[in-house]
Amino acid sequence: MRSFRTLRLSLRFIIPLFIALTILAYAVVPLVGKLTLRWFVRDMDIRSQLIANTLHDPFVDLLRQGNKAKINALLLNVIRDERLLALGFCNEDGKLLYSTPNFPESLTCSSVALRDKETGPVFRLPKGSVHVALYPMDQDRLQQGSLILVHDMSFVERRSADTRKYIVMLFVLIGVVISVITVFVAYLSWRGWMDGVRAILRGEGILQPFKKPAVASEFQPLVGDLRILLRTFDAERRFADDATITWSPDSLRKLLHKQLAGERIIVVSNREPYIHIRGEGEIEVNRPASGLVTAVEPVMRACSGTWIAHGSGTADRETVDRHDRVQVPPEHPEYTLRRIWLTREEENGYYYGFANEGIWPLCHTAHVRPIFRSSDWQQYIAVNQRFADAVAEEAVSDDPVVLVQDYHFALLPKMIRQKLPRATIITFWHIPWPNPESFGICPWHEELLQGMLGSTILGFHTPFHCKNFLATVDRYLETRIEYESSTISRAGKLTMVESYPISIQWPSPWQETQPSVPECRNGVRDSLGLDAGHLVGIGVDRQDYTKGILERFRAVENMLKRHPEMIGHFTFIQIAAPTRSVLEEYAAFENQVRDLADRINQRFSTGSWQPIRLKVEHHDPEVVNRYYRAADVCMVTSLHDGMNLVAKEFVAARDDEQGVLVLSRFTGAAHELHEALIVNPYHIEQTADALYRALTMPDFEQRERMCNMRALVRDFNIYRWAGRMLLDAARIRQREKLAMRINHTS
Ligand code: F6P
């Protein structure tokens, strides 16, 4: 195929070349004919002159003697020369006195004399051309007549014809040689060019301008231009794609249909979106307190497909079919949940151990030491492999779109890639990414990075996390990194590292059914025995040491200390979902939270009023939503957080455009929700000031801030988060398909 294309290309040059050579040959051949004839005539002239000079004296002597016999004998003797055809002698009166037998009849003394002067020495006779020369024979300066020498010219014609033939052959030969060289050069160039294009398509050369160029030097200027073009084009297109679409479940579905040929999506996460629990007598369905589930579940409902997750509920096994699948949401099924069963040993090693005692503290700068055990690492590998096997089982094509979620599955992308080389793997890392030095603490940091680079797209919440990741890869792996376009090339495979700030469903799923804000306010206050005008603050978190719950309580304490007028008029409600309680660090943290709340409550409580209401139990999202709507202020004080969706959920819940968000600057959300009161949670007084300011903020300021934040959450909702990743995936798939086509056709 490649040779055929080369030949076709070369013909575009060869055909004009042959036409040009033919025209040239037509012009050159007659010229050469004339030239060679002129040379031969000159040779004949010289020859004739020589013969005439040699004959002169003996001939004149014989003439003087009048010895006709001897004259004839002399002439006959001379014409033995094979080229000399005939000799003749004309006297002064123009009469042919002597001639050899084959002297051409059509030649006369007068015609020869005349022709010689006017048109040159060549005569065309019926039997062929002859060269005729006339030389005077004189004695004692008295001319006796002229000797006529007739040379056969047929050999000249023969030679001219030969010359013409050789010239034509020479032209043909030149044409053939040039053609062969052209085809060869075209083949090499085409191959080089194609390799160049292929390298460019792979992103090599474009991606890493600082290291050894992957494409030939002649492509470097092109690569430079392409680099600029691609960047501009990509940025513009992504912006245009993003901005022009109103992101909703419907637009996401259309995108999948149009850009990804209706691919069914496979999601992999540790936490499942619906947990079946055996309650008293009957099975209950729980929605876990998980940012990941909050974000990804609406996407799955929009896209359908299969979600593979750990079946951790006490009644999970009872609710699946024989393939471990169950259709969810239970009340209105829209996609398949495929459950993976883990042994206690696997769960301890992979989930509690490596993921939550190792990677979790490693990636969060919350001053808890990570713990790495070889046995946990082995379980982490084994469980990742089990999920990779499940992905291969669930895939209905050899190029599925797989969305890998979070730090539980750093090895999974590579494992999936080994089973399904053509899969489009989008990995999203829901937690922060630390600097290279911190990440290097993990004994298996290289393996984790290699695993993640099996992804087609690797997503983080913020550009800062992307930058840290690129720097980490640069530090520990041999790769080619293009910082400007945030791409990593390794072993011929490209991973795009991009920030996709995660978000929530918009409009809120309870938009239609939720009670009004006054109802929620009254309901919550009534349940706590507070009067209608009582100020309420809310915190909603898993009970995790990264969430800054202790710092939050201290800020409440500090605010009450500095603003005693608030005592008895403000209550802070902390919803704390129990999490990872089997781990020592978490168990200790639960105690610290409880102890601190007790201490503060003891310090300030009056009568039945307590400043902090700690609710350590699972709350359904609808219930949490009511608390958001009831509160005057929401406090998000994480010490380090990838995004923190509580901040966005609070904003989405407040369709009354009231309420103030106090937000830690160490969350991803702080990069988007600029109208929140941004605090450093380690700075207790500052956070206390922000809390007080929130509680005393005028309505119009609350409205202005809330309106802006709501507009942002509306426009950058969860469908846009998924849509941007899927659009990028679709573009990469198209580029890979194009590269494959080029590979096939060349
Ligand atoms: O913050 C990262 C994250 O994966 C969240 O998406 C999720 O809320 C949590 O961590 C996981 O919690 P769990 O260990 O209970 O699944």
Side-chain angles (χ1 to χ4, degrees):
M1 203 61 190
R2 179 184 284 185
S3 327
F4 179 66
R5 188 180 287 263
T6 308
L7 200 68
R8 238 177 40 195
L9 260 175
S10 308
L11 278 178
R12 289 188 200 153
F13 173 76
I14 293 169
I15 292 170
L17 172 80
F18 268 89
I19 293 171
L21 284 176
T22 313
I23 293 170
L24 204 65
Y26 266 102
V28 164
V29 167
L31 259 180
V32 171
K34 272 189 194 154
L35 208 65
T36 48
L37 183 67
R38 201 176 299 158
W39 289 338
F40 284 123
V41 168
R42 197 176 306 150
D43 279 357
M44 289 294 148
D45 287 346
I46 295 167
R47 204 166 191 277
S48 302
Q49 179 83 59
L50 191 72
I51 296 171
N53 288 346
T54 315
L55 269 178
H56 184 270
D57 289 352
F59 190 79
V60 171
D61 276 354
L62 291 175
L63 263 183
R64 188 167 28 86
Q65 291 166 21
N67 192 338
K68 287 186 182 176
K70 281 199 174 173
I71 288 173
N72 283 329
L74 177 66
L75 294 181
L76 279 173
N77 202 25
V78 174
I79 62 159
R80 276 199 206 134
D81 179 293
E82 72 169 296
R83 303 250 167 87
L84 192 59
L85 189 68
L87 283 171
F89 179 74
C90 297
N91 67 8
E92 276 304 280
D93 301 330
K95 190 170 170 211
L96 187 67
L97 291 185
Y98 300 101
S99 62
T100 52
N102 46 0
F103 193 86
E105 277 174 22
S106 50
L107 289 181
T108 62
C109 292
S110 55
S111 71
V112 170
L114 204 65
R115 181 79 185 243
D116 189 39
K117 275 187 199 128
E118 287 175 0
T119 52
V122 179
F123 281 70
R124 297 217 172 272
L125 303 180
K127 287 187 178 167
S129 301
V130 290
H131 174 273
V132 182
L134 202 65
Y135 291 97
M137 294 284 138
D138 47 15
Q139 189 182 20
D140 303 333
R141 300 220 179 129
L142 221 65
Q143 187 161 344
Q144 305 291 316
S146 298
L147 187 68
I148 299 172
L149 293 96
V150 181
H151 271 96
D152 178 14
M153 285 286 283
S154 61
F155 81 96
V156 174
E157 278 168 359
R158 272 200 313 279
R159 282 191 185 175
S160 287
D162 283 352
T163 310
R164 273 199 301 276
K165 195 169 80 193
Y166 289 131
I167 285 174
V168 170
M169 280 166 63
L170 183 70
F171 272 101
V172 171
L173 192 70
I174 290 172
V176 169
V177 169
I178 293 179
S179 304
V180 170
I181 293 172
T182 305
V183 173
F184 187 61
V185 170
Y187 175 76
L188 289 184
S189 318
W190 172 253
R191 212 171 64 167
W193 197 84
M194 290 315 297
D195 289 347
V197 170
R198 242 176 265 131
I200 290 167
L201 278 170
R202 282 197 302 269
E204 293 167 13
I206 303 176
L207 305 179
Q208 184 50 288
F210 320 111
K211 294 185 181 168
K212 188 173 159 272
V215 293
S217 58
E218 64 266 29
F219 280 106
Q220 288 307 317
L222 173 66
V223 164
D225 290 348
L226 259 179
R227 212 181 269 146
I228 295 165
L229 256 173
L230 278 179
R231 251 194 320 274
T232 321
F233 180 62
D234 210 40
E236 278 172 7
R237 195 159 66 151
R238 294 184 73 203
F239 182 76
D241 287 345
D242 269 28
T244 53
I245 300 172
T246 307
W247 289 97
S248 64
D250 203 38
S251 53
L252 197 59
R253 261 191 296 271
K254 280 191 185 132
L255 179 143
L256 264 181
H257 192 71
K258 206 167 133 205
Q259 307 274 355
L260 289 159
E263 276 294 339
R264 286 173 76 248
I265 283 181
I266 299 176
V267 167
V268 186
S269 75
N270 172 71
R271 185 63 62 207
E272 56 183 340
Y274 295 91
I275 306 177
H276 288 94
I277 310 274
R278 176 145 298 282
E280 280 164 18
E282 56 184 37
I283 293 174
E284 292 164 13
V285 182
N286 259 9
R287 302 282 310 279
S290 157
L292 182 157
V293 170
T294 306
V296 180
E297 214 270 335
V299 173
M300 269 315 265
R301 272 191 275 125
C303 300
S304 77
T306 303
W307 186 326
I308 304 172
H310 170 210
S312 57
T314 47
D316 274 355
R317 284 180 195 264
E318 295 169 50
T319 45
V320 293
D321 64 15
R322 62 196 175 90
H323 301 292
D324 300 327
R325 295 180 189 134
V326 55
Q327 299 304 310
V328 288
E331 65 284 1
H332 175 51
E334 278 170 302
Y335 64 93
T336 306
L337 172 60
R338 158 81 192 271
R339 286 176 170 145
I340 304 290
W341 315 116
L342 299 182
T343 62
R344 178 61 54 81
E345 202 186 8
E346 281 173 331
E347 194 179 357
N348 283 342
Y350 138 83
Y351 173 74
Y352 288 113
F354 196 78
N356 286 316
E357 286 190 296
I359 303 183
W360 179 269
L362 181 79
C363 290
H364 287 90
T365 316
H367 316 292
V368 169
R369 282 181 175 217
I371 299 169
F372 292 107
R373 303 179 194 91
S374 295
S375 53
D376 292 347
W377 170 240
Q378 291 310 325
Q379 292 298 350
Y380 188 80
I381 297 173
V383 173
N384 271 247
Q385 190 58 60
R386 291 196 48 203
F387 276 80
D389 296 344
V391 169
E393 282 163 25
E394 296 299 330
V396 288
S397 68
D398 67 341
D399 61 347
V401 178
V402 188
L403 269 62
V404 176
Q405 304 299 314
D406 231 346
Y407 59 98
H408 311 91
F409 296 116
L411 303 178
L412 189 57
K414 185 178 168 190
M415 291 171 171
I416 297 174
R417 174 84 48 227
Q418 279 161 353
K419 284 178 169 285
L420 298 161
R422 295 188 54 227
T424 299
I425 305 168
I426 304 172
T427 301
F428 194 80
W429 195 259
H430 289 256
I431 61 177
W433 190 272
N435 62 44
E437 288 74 25
S438 302
F439 192 75
I441 291 170
C442 173
W444 300 283
H445 57 271
E446 284 186 19
E447 288 86 338
L448 293 177
L449 294 173
Q450 283 161 1
M452 291 172 80
L453 290 183
S455 314
T456 317
I457 295 176
L458 192 47
F460 294 92
H461 291 298
T462 68
F464 183 66
H465 298 153
C466 295
K467 202 169 138 259
N468 273 352
F469 181 80
L470 293 178
T472 309
V473 170
D474 197 24
R475 174 74 62 86
Y476 298 115
L477 293 185
E478 268 299 310
T479 54
R480 294 155 47 81
I481 301 176
E482 165 69 59
Y483 285 94
E484 286 170 25
S485 62
S486 210
T487 33
I488 302 172
S489 165
R490 185 162 187 275
K493 257 311 208 190
L494 204 67
T495 300
M496 175 175 160
V497 180
E498 192 53 74
S499 65
Y500 303 95
I502 205 164
S503 196
I504 54 165
Q505 187 174 349
W506 185 283
S508 150
W510 304 285
Q511 171 97 338
E512 306 299 329
T513 53
Q514 66 196 356
S516 67
V517 168
E519 279 174 296
C520 292
R521 288 182 70 91
N522 292 337
V524 167
R525 281 164 182 76
D526 283 351
S527 70
L528 297 174
L530 306 170
D531 60 51
H534 196 89
L535 294 168
V536 166
I538 182 80
V540 180
D541 306 85
R542 282 182 308 104
Q543 208 163 19
D544 194 296
Y545 54 79
T546 60
K547 299 296 179 184
I549 299 173
L550 298 176
E551 288 72 10
R552 194 178 306 168
F553 288 181
R554 288 194 191 107
V556 170
E557 179 184 29
N558 189 277
M559 191 275 294
L560 291 175
K561 188 180 92 183
R562 292 197 287 142
H563 300 281
E565 72 275 17
M566 286 288 177
I567 294 173
H569 298 287
F570 167 68
T571 299
F572 188 78
I573 304 167
Q574 177 64 49
I575 292 179
T579 183
R580 307 169 193 169
S581 310
V582 294
L583 296 179
E584 232 175 75
E585 196 70 47
Y586 283 82
F589 183 70
E590 279 173 24
N591 289 334
Q592 285 176 38
V593 169
R594 210 179 296 272
D595 290 350
L596 183 61
D598 287 348
R599 187 181 64 69
I600 294 171
N601 282 342
Q602 275 170 23
R603 180 174 174 185
F604 294 105
S605 59
T606 54
S608 63
W609 175 78
Q610 288 188 329
I612 295 177
R613 296 296 184 102
L614 181 59
K615 295 173 162 292
V616 185
E617 60 191 315
H618 175 81
H619 287 71
D620 278 337
E622 293 92 322
V623 177
V624 173
N625 189 58
R626 270 180 241 149
Y627 277 100
Y628 288 142
R629 286 166 75 76
D632 297 289
V633 56
C634 175
M635 291 189 84
V636 174
T637 53
S638 305
L639 305 180
H640 202 186
D641 218 327
M643 173 54 71
N644 195 296
L645 290 182
V646 166
K648 292 187 177 180
E649 283 173 347
F650 174 66
V651 168
R654 298 313 296 261
D655 55 3
D656 63 333
E657 295 168 352
Q658 291 294 296
V660 183
L661 176 64
V662 174
L663 180 60
S664 161
R665 56 182 273 216
F666 305 119
T667 60
H671 296 268
E672 295 184 88
L673 302 174
H674 303 292
E675 288 77 17
L677 298 182
I678 305 293
V679 296
N680 173 356
Y682 290 95
H683 192 332
I684 303 299
E685 287 83 1
Q686 187 200 61
T687 312
D689 285 347
L691 174 60
Y692 182 72
R693 189 178 162 197
L695 292 171
T696 54
M697 188 180 282
D699 287 0
F700 77 88
E701 188 182 343
Q702 291 187 35
R703 174 156 293 116
E704 211 158 290
R705 287 172 182 271
M706 189 53 84
C707 270
N708 284 341
M709 290 192 288
R710 283 175 64 77
L712 183 123
V713 178
R714 179 195 64 215
D715 292 346
F716 291 84
N717 59 30
I718 191 60
Y719 305 110
R720 188 169 187 165
W721 172 79
R724 277 189 57 208
M725 288 196 294
L726 292 174
L727 270 176
D728 284 343
R731 269 195 284 274
I732 293 172
R733 273 164 91 96
Q734 270 166 16
R735 200 190 288 186
E736 281 175 353
K737 275 186 186 150
L738 175 67
M740 266 174 59
R741 268 212 299 279
I742 291 180
N743 271 334
H744 275 132
T745 53
S746 56

